[in-house]
Amino acid sequence: MTDLVSDFDFDLPPALIADHPARPRDSARMLEVPVDGPFIDRHVRDLPGCLRAGDILVANDTAVIPAQLSAMRGAARIGITLDRILPDGTWHALARNSRRLKPGDTLTFAPSHVTAKVMVCEDAGGVVLRFDVEGEAFDQFLHDTGHLALPPYIARPDGPTEEDRRDYSTIFAQHRGAVAAPTAGLHFTPALLSGLEAAGVLRQTLTLHVGAGTFLPMRSEQISEHRMHAERGTITPHAAQRINAARAAGGRIIAVGTTSLRLLESATDEDGVVHPFHGETAIFIRPGYRFRAVDMLLTNFHLPRSTLFMLVSAFAGQARMRAAYDHAIAAGYRFYSYGDACLLHRHDGGAA
C-alpha cells in the first residue's frame, strides 16, 4: 500500500474545471463505475433507475454559512475563514497573516460593530476566536458582513455573486454551519427526489458541517504524515434506526457525497451497525480502509493529490478509479464542486 501522495496525481485540463453548475441540476452527467466491466455514461436524473426499492439514500443536510470575513487588528488586515464552532461557543478559524496575531488581541469587522477576541493561536494559521455576539445576532452579522468561501478553483475575481449564494446550496440544506457545500447534494432537484420516491428508494439525512480544512492542500509527500481537520457531525437516533432497518431488510446504503460517507463510517461499529453520533470526526479514509457502512457512493470528481481522491480510490479501487478518471477526462466530464458526478459501487476489497 502506497504512502506517496504523488501516486494519486493526474493531469486535468483546466478547461474541465466547472465554474457554474448544470441547469437543471439533475441534467449533470453521471459516470457509473461498477465493480467490474465497462463504465456507464449516464445523467444524474437517471439515478432512480440505478437503485432498488428498499435502498436508502443518505444525504448531508448541512447549510453553508458566509464564512469568509475581513478583520482588522489595529492597522493590519487579517483574512478570517471560519472553520467550526466549538462546544464552548468559540470558533475555530483559519487566519491569513496569522503571524500578526497573539492571544488577547481584538479583531474588528467593519462596517459592523462586532468584535472577536483571539483566544488561541495555533501552528499553520489556526486560531480560536470568541465573538461578542452569538445566536441570531451572530447569524445576522455573518449575513451582513461575511462572504461565501468558494473553493479557489471557482474563479470569481470580484467575489461570489448572488447567483452563487443560490447555486452553492443543496436542496437538503437545513442546519447552518458548513464552510463549504457538500457538493454531491447540489445535483438534486424536486423532480429527482420524486423519481427516487416513486422507485421505492428511501431517504434519510444526517449533518456534517464541512470545515475550512477541505480547501487546504496536502503539504507532505507522505500520506501518513497528513492530519485531517476535525468536523462536527450529528446522526440522530431516529436516523440511525432508519438506516439500520433499511440494511436489515436487504437495502443498500447509498451515501450522497464523501461527507455523508465519512460520518456514516465514523458512527458504524465492526458489525456494520450505525450508532447515533454527535461530536467531531477527523476520519481519514485511504486505500486499505475497510468499509463498514456504505455500499454505493454518489460523488463529484475530485482534485488530484487530494484526500478525497484517496477516499474514492479506497472505495472503488485505486486502479479502477484512475481508469474512471481517465475515461471522464477523455469524455469531457466537468470536475469539482460545480461539476458532474460519478456513482461508485464498493469493490470487494473494501467490504467490511
Side-chain angles (χ1 to χ4, degrees), residues 47 50-52 54-60 188 196 201-204 206 243 246-247 251-257 260-261 264 293-299 315 342-345:
L47 184 61
C50 302
L51 305 181
R52 302 192 294 249
D55 287 345
I56 187 163
L57 197 79
V58 183
N60 187 356
F188 285 78
L196 289 162
V201 176
L202 307 174
R203 198 167 73 244
Q204 181 59 53
L206 46 68
I243 295 167
R247 167 163 277 178
R252 297 171 297 180
I253 298 176
I254 296 91
V256 178
S260 298
L261 181 146
L264 283 166
V294 177
D295 301 297
M296 296 174 70
L297 170 64
L298 180 74
T299 185
F315 191 81
C342 52
L343 180 63
L344 308 181
H345 295 250

Side-chain angles (χ1 to χ4, degrees), residues 46-207:
D46 301 327
L47 184 61
C50 302
L51 305 181
R52 302 192 294 249
D55 287 345
I56 187 163
L57 197 79
V58 183
N60 187 356
D61 63 9
T62 187
V64 178
I65 61 173
Q68 195 83 55
L69 298 166
S70 181
M72 300 295 294
R73 184 198 61 80
R77 184 174 298 278
I78 310 291
I80 297 290
T81 303
L82 298 179
D83 178 31
R84 66 190 190 278
I85 192 168
L86 301 177
D88 66 355
T90 59
W91 278 85
H92 186 268
L94 302 181
R96 292 190 300 277
N97 291 338
S98 61
R99 288 189 298 273
R100 299 189 180 199
L101 298 178
K102 62 183 186 299
D105 283 348
T106 296
L107 302 179
T108 59
F109 300 86
S112 79
H113 299 292
V114 172
T115 64
K117 184 177 180 180
V118 179
M119 310 301 292
V120 177
C121 292
E122 304 172 345
D123 295 336
V127 294
V128 176
L129 305 177
R130 182 173 294 282
F131 289 86
D132 66 349
V133 293
E134 56 186 23
E136 292 184 5
F138 182 77
D139 290 345
Q140 189 64 49
F141 157 67
L142 289 185
H143 180 271
D144 295 343
T145 310
H147 299 280
L148 284 178
L150 283 179
Y153 45 77
I154 296 178
R156 295 291 186 269
D158 299 321
T161 65
E162 278 302 313
E163 192 173 61
D164 285 317
R165 282 186 179 261
R166 296 188 297 273
D167 287 342
Y168 203 58
S169 179
T170 76
I171 197 171
F172 307 108
Q174 276 192 313
H175 303 291
R176 291 164 51 84
V179 173
T183 54
L186 296 178
H187 298 294
F188 285 78
T189 63
L192 179 55
L193 294 183
S194 295
L196 289 162
E197 185 175 354
V201 176
L202 307 174
R203 198 167 73 244
Q204 181 59 53
T205 58
L206 46 68
T207 307

Side-chain angles (χ1 to χ4, degrees), residues 280-302:
E280 293 189 340
T281 178
I283 189 172
F284 183 9
I285 296 175
R286 54 195 187 274
Y289 179 85
R290 307 291 288 181
F291 288 87
R292 302 172 181 177
V294 177
D295 301 297
M296 296 174 70
L297 170 64
L298 180 74
T299 185
N300 284 24
F301 290 96
H302 302 294

